[in-house]
Amino acid sequence: MENDYGCGNPVSCDVPAALQADPELWSGCCSGALQEERFLEGFTRAGLTGLTILKREERPRETMRNVEFRRVTVAARKPSS
C-alpha cells in the first residue's frame, strides 16, 4: 500500500493550539498535522509492516509561527489476514 500523504503534513514540532483552532488552516490540512515521528508510528500502530520513506521534502511546504510543514511519501504493507 502506498500513501502519498498530502493532507495533514508531518511537521517539525507540535502545532500550537492557536493554529489548530484556525478554520482556514484546517481547510489547508495544516492544523491537524502530526510530528513526523508520530505520523510514522501511526502506520505501525495500524498494523502495517515494511514502512519505507520514499520521499521527504527537504524544504518546508509552509512555515507558520516557526512550525515547518513538509510532505512525506511512505510505502507500507498490510499483512494478510
Side-chain angles (χ1 to χ4, degrees):
M1 177 169 104
E2 191 171 311
N3 179 22
D4 182 358
Y5 201 74
C7 193
N9 300 293
V11 296
S12 57
C13 61
D14 288 328
V15 177
L19 294 179
Q20 291 178 23
D22 186 315
E24 284 187 38
L25 296 179
W26 268 108
S27 66
C29 298
C30 291
S31 292
L34 300 171
Q35 280 186 314
E36 184 173 333
E37 183 178 312
R38 283 190 237 159
F39 168 71
L40 297 173
E41 286 173 356
F43 288 91
T44 303
R45 283 193 312 272
L48 300 175
T49 61
L51 181 67
T52 305
I53 297 173
L54 301 175
K55 180 181 177 185
R56 178 187 287 118
E57 289 185 340
E58 290 191 30
R59 299 173 106 186
R61 179 179 81 112
E62 239 177 294
T63 301
M64 287 179 254
R65 296 190 194 169
N66 296 321
V67 178
E68 295 178 344
F69 294 83
R70 302 175 192 277
R71 287 192 176 142
V72 175
T73 303
V74 299
R77 288 185 268 324
K78 181 179 178 181
S80 302
S81 303

